[in-house]
């Protein structure tokens, strides 16, 4: 077995909290996406930062790879130990350490999930707004710079992490940031670790900004004849400064899937789903102003729901979309990919993608976070048909090239992992080798999640 | 003369755009703060990124320091060439390169100032909101991670820079970020250069987020018996999600100075100045809600002004404060310092500072961006009285120590430069040496603004 000496020392350190059982290795080798499984050599379940630090020191001495694991919901294979070694599962470091109500911040361990955190916050009148859909761990969300449906209003993880505790590649523990709302005191190390996908260190503590629970929430769904009309309505809304809390797009194929899956009867055309947060009167004013804008752009079937149960019904379409789409073809797998473009180019990017998928015979409903210019395609294939899988991945590849040509990025929120490393040079040019230089300075032994994000070391 | 060989090559490259005239060197050796002048060996006025790249290549070959200069308004000596070499003045690279109205972004050269940019944007219905007070260059604002009065609503430079073009320490030119609103594609290099104070490279182009000009603006001023009451009112306002565009605090000493300077008659007590941006009805609703909150906290003299001329009168107090304070003692100089703490600790930090200044006989009015927990003290001294200067700097030092103890940072917006490098280890611990490691990876010859921000290389 590889890394025998390291595993022996790790076992002495962690006891039962280091496992080599096949079922556990298999569980931590899988991915939610289409990548082949890569079981690690061991899985560690640390409970303290001190243990994580010792663990990394041992791995550093033996050149043993270390890959962090939250809930395993990343979509580009970020938590797969592609070079073996130890997967560090943070599920036992999942406590809320400190809530500061007046400052609207919270200090947590990385293993707590988004839903758990919001359950614990419920009585405080505060909530954590970033919502990538999956019930991911906050450590994973920070590491992949997650965002989701509410980023248009509340920002991404980049905007909501105030500070971190990080175990570096030599086992040293550092703290970045403070509880102050802003700082000009040196390099933004917090921002460097957020989105680094565990290649620079392991996040062992996070301080997050929180938001006040809104007094009122109002949601609506609305159909459009063309995606271009829907995007134009959103652009007008943003320019008028109407603060949307969520603004989601789902295409005709997705609507069809949801109707079939959930017995709904939405018209088969592109839809926007929108949500406003604020005071009763602010929400009412925003709903009215938005109504006028969508009328200008030929929107139809516009209706508001302020009661929680009505809102849930409206969001059913969005939340069910992923499962509804997979249910279109039982047994299929999918390349779940995302790109992000300047919003003025969004309609063009979506229309070109739709045409491309049709031309290449790929089934791939499209949905996304239209306020950010970010959209997803769920490109389905039969796992027993390599030719179809190749067509799906080729279509994903053309989506990226199109996004880059339009001034966008290869991924708005899913990250790089193993799925998108091949586009890094194209997107960043010489700046990609700068990332490699930073990686080498921080992890000269290349043990932190190797094989991801940066160029291979010389 | 030092760096003779480098200057000869630079002169061949730049011709008249390299100057060694004493008056120009003196002008680029000064600071707005209390640091002694440090004239560089030469001043360069490049007009293109290509020239900047060549200039840096030459300096790299000769180990000649390179320090960027915008408008010279930094407050911690960031643009002073403390080790000599070349100051690169970006005033001839001051164009707007591209406005994207639908995407609400703009690409600019770094030498354009904040006010020039907003003048150029006026007809577009958009504006750039970050306002540090001084009419600084955007390059300088990005390099020092500036913020100011509007950060509570629109964020700091960290939140408003989408992408950069940067000339690295070996002359290589890279681009960071895209025009997409968000990205998960690799390390956040944009965020690394923002706030690096020119120690990692020279910013030669910036893509900024813009905001829609608000339909209505409403401003008010309000007195409080105690700073603690004012802060409590602000905390309640934030928790209720009322979006303040600006919320400024000025202490009794500042009010006294403004009254004397501008012939105003504000009651001599702490004041809040607030501004709301939005639709007519939203602004009216916010003003009313805020009014109810300040009443709960004993605020008095609360009155709204929606007309531009009335608003200007209200903001006179804030904008005149710095000059009014200096006018208290003609001929004096000042240590202008800032710290930032969690807002729950702000009243305590301000009150302790006031008591400390009184105890040590330092005249130092306090004002600040209360929504961010950020405040400034203007600690005055007679330039011919070294003992008084020592007392002022000692008081500034205690402000920092107090801020760190309260969970805050040594600077919310002025940055490190030469003034606050001595606190970096205390604030960041081992993370400061991580900054040094990153600096060494990016600038092994230590030519980019040496003597600032990071530890001295071994």
């Amino acid at each position: 077995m590889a890394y025998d000496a390291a595993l022996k020392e790790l076992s002495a350190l962690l006891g039962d909290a280091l496992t080599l059982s096949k079922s556990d290795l298999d569980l931590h080798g899988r991915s939610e996406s289409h990548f082949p499984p890569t079981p690690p050599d061991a899985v560690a379940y640390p409970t303290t930062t001190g243990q994580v630090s010792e663990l990394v020191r041992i791995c550093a001495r033996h050149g043993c790879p270390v890959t962090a694991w939250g809930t395993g919901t990343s979509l580009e294979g970020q938590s797969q130990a592609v070079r073996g070694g130890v997967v560090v599962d943070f599920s036992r470091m999942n406590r809320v350490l400190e809530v500061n109500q007046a400052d609207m911040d919270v200090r947590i361990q990385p293993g707590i999930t988004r839903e758990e955190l919001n359950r614990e916050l419920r009585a405080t009148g505060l909530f954590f707004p970033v919502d990538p859909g999956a019930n991911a761990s906050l450590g994973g969300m920070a590491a992949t710079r997650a965002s989701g449906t509410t980023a248009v209003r509340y920002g991404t993880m980049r905007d909501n992490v105030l500070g971190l505790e990080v175990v570096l590649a030599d086992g040293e523990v550092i703290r970045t940031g403070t509880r102050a709302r802003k700082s000009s005191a040196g390099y933004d190390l917090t921002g460097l670790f957020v989105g680094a996908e565990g290649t620079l260190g392991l996040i062992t503590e996070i301080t997050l900004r929180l938001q006040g629970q809104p007094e009122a929430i109002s949601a609506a769904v609305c159909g459009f004849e063309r995606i271009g009309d829907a995007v134009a309505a959103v652009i007008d809304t943003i320019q008028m400064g109407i603060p949307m809390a969520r603004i989601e797009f789902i295409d005709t194929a997705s609507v069809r899937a949801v109707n079939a899956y959930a017995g709904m009867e939405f018209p088969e055309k592109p839809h926007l789903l929108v949500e406003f947060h604020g005071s009763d009167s602010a929400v009412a004013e925003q709903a009215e102003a938005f109504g006028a804008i969508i009328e200008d752009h030929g929107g139809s079937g516009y209706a508001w729901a302020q009661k929680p149960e009505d809102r849930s019904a409206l969001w059913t379409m969005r939340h069910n979309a992923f499962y509804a789409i997979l249910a279109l073809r039982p047994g299929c797998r999918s390349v779940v990919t995302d790109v992000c473009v300047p919003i003025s180019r969004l309609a063009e990017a979506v229309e070109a993608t739709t045409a491309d998928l049709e031309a290449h015979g790929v089934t791939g409903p499209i949905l996304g976070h239209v306020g950010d210019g970010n959209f997803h395609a769920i490109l389905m294939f039969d796992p027993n048909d390599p030719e179809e899988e190749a067509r799906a991945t080729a279509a994903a590849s053309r989506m990226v090239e199109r996004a880059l040509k339009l001034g966008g990025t290869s991924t708005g929120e899913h990250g790089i992992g193993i799925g998108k490393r091949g586009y890094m040079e194209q997107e960043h040019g010489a700046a990609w080798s700068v990332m490699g230089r930073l990686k080498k300075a921080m992890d000269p032994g290349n043990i932190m999640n190797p094989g991801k994000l940066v160029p291979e070391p010389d």
Side-chain angles (χ1 to χ4, degrees), chain A:
Chain A
M1 189 186 297
Y3 307 116
D4 264 349
L7 298 189
K8 206 168 154 192
E9 286 186 49
L10 289 171
S11 177
L13 172 72
L14 295 165
D16 284 354
L18 188 85
T19 160
L20 282 67
S21 87
K22 186 170 180 315
S23 63
D24 222 0
L25 300 184
D26 285 347
L27 192 70
H28 290 83
R30 67 177 175 76
S31 140
E32 287 233 332
S33 203
H34 61 107
F35 307 108
T38 54
D41 293 295
V43 179
Y45 294 91
T47 51
T48 65
T49 298
Q51 280 183 347
V52 177
S53 168
E54 278 309 307
L55 179 160
V56 173
R57 271 181 218 283
I58 291 167
C59 290
R61 274 202 302 275
H62 295 281
C64 173
V66 179
T67 302
W69 184 277
T71 59
T73 50
S74 59
L75 289 169
E76 297 291 357
Q78 282 93 337
S79 45
Q80 288 192 252
V82 292
R83 310 253 165 112
V86 181
V87 159
V88 182
D89 182 316
F90 281 98
S91 57
R92 296 185 195 169
M93 289 177 71
N94 66 342
R95 280 180 305 129
V96 172
L97 300 173
E98 185 187 1
V99 181
N100 296 288
Q101 200 138 358
D103 297 310
M104 300 170 72
D105 64 45
V106 64
R107 195 157 56 84
I108 56 169
Q109 290 186 309
I112 192 169
T113 69
R114 186 175 63 75
E115 290 174 7
E116 278 166 25
L117 174 61
N118 278 324
R119 253 195 309 276
E120 294 225 25
L121 291 172
R122 201 171 285 163
T124 64
L126 302 171
F127 80 112
F128 182 70
V130 181
D131 176 4
N135 186 22
S137 71
L138 269 302
M141 286 170 64
T144 56
R145 204 184 293 128
S147 48
T149 53
T150 60
V152 66
R153 169 75 176 264
Y154 300 107
T156 72
M157 289 304 285
R158 175 183 194 273
D159 309 299
N160 287 286
V161 176
L162 283 170
L164 297 170
E165 180 187 78
V166 179
V167 174
L168 301 178
D170 60 359
E172 187 167 34
V173 182
I174 63 165
R175 302 193 78 92
T176 73
T178 69
R179 290 210 305 111
R181 278 290 151 136
K182 63 182 190 184
S183 173
S184 286
Y187 302 160
D188 181 7
L189 295 184
T190 305
L192 187 63
F193 288 106
V194 170
E197 300 186 355
T199 62
L200 298 177
L202 295 178
I203 296 171
T204 48
E205 225 181 85
I206 313 174
T207 303
L208 296 170
R209 300 178 71 138
L210 300 174
Q211 299 288 330
Q213 290 167 12
E215 182 186 324
I217 298 178
S218 169
V221 61
C222 174
F224 288 85
E225 292 311 312
R226 284 180 304 273
I227 158 76
D229 298 331
V231 171
V234 174
I235 290 175
D236 282 2
T237 310
I238 292 172
Q239 299 228 327
M240 283 186 61
I242 302 174
M244 298 166 289
R246 306 182 201 251
I247 179 82
E248 295 285 301
F249 165 76
I250 76 171
D251 75 348
T252 306
S254 305
V255 172
R256 221 174 271 142
V258 169
N259 281 347
Y261 181 77
M264 316 284 272
E265 291 187 342
F266 290 104
E268 292 190 356
K269 50 169 86 171
H271 276 71
L272 286 182
L273 293 91
V274 65
E275 191 171 284
F276 293 114
H277 293 177
S279 67
D280 284 312
S281 55
V283 159
E285 184 194 341
Q286 289 155 16
E288 198 188 316
F290 184 70
I293 291 170
I294 60 172
E295 203 167 306
D296 285 349
H297 295 282
S300 62
Y302 178 62
W304 285 97
Q306 264 191 272
K307 281 194 231 154
E309 55 274 26
D310 298 345
R311 280 206 320 273
S312 308
L314 286 182
W315 282 96
T316 299
M317 174 146 70
R318 175 67 180 91
H319 286 133
N320 281 340
F322 182 63
Y323 301 103
I325 287 162
L326 293 182
L328 288 175
R329 283 177 59 181
C332 75
R333 298 210 68 182
S334 63
V335 178
V336 181
T337 193
D338 91 304
V339 295
C340 192
V341 297
I343 191 170
S344 66
R345 317 304 296 271
L346 179 60
E348 185 181 346
V350 172
E351 280 163 359
T353 302
T354 305
D356 178 289
L357 297 180
E358 267 181 38
H360 291 84
V362 179
T363 309
I366 294 172
L367 63 175
H369 314 311
V370 61
D372 304 321
N374 182 204
F375 68 98
H376 306 235
I378 299 167
L379 307 170
M380 283 177 287
F381 63 88
D382 177 343
N384 301 314
D385 182 347
E387 191 276 329
E388 194 182 30
E389 178 170 1
R391 268 188 291 138
T393 52
S397 179
R398 287 190 300 274
M399 274 179 70
V400 169
E401 273 154 30
R402 213 173 289 123
L404 296 180
K405 258 184 220 144
L406 295 173
T409 175
S410 57
T411 170
E413 57 183 19
H414 293 177
I416 299 303
I418 46 181
K420 288 199 164 155
R421 196 173 176 217
Y423 308 113
M424 287 293 276
E425 185 152 24
Q426 196 180 342
E427 174 162 349
H428 299 286
W432 194 39
S433 65
V434 170
M435 295 185 203
R437 227 186 292 170
L438 298 176
K439 163 75 170 177
K440 198 172 169 191
M442 298 292 293
D443 178 21
N446 195 27
I447 63 163
M448 307 307 291
N449 208 1
K452 313 276 172 71
L453 204 143
V454 289
E456 280 307 304
D458 306 327

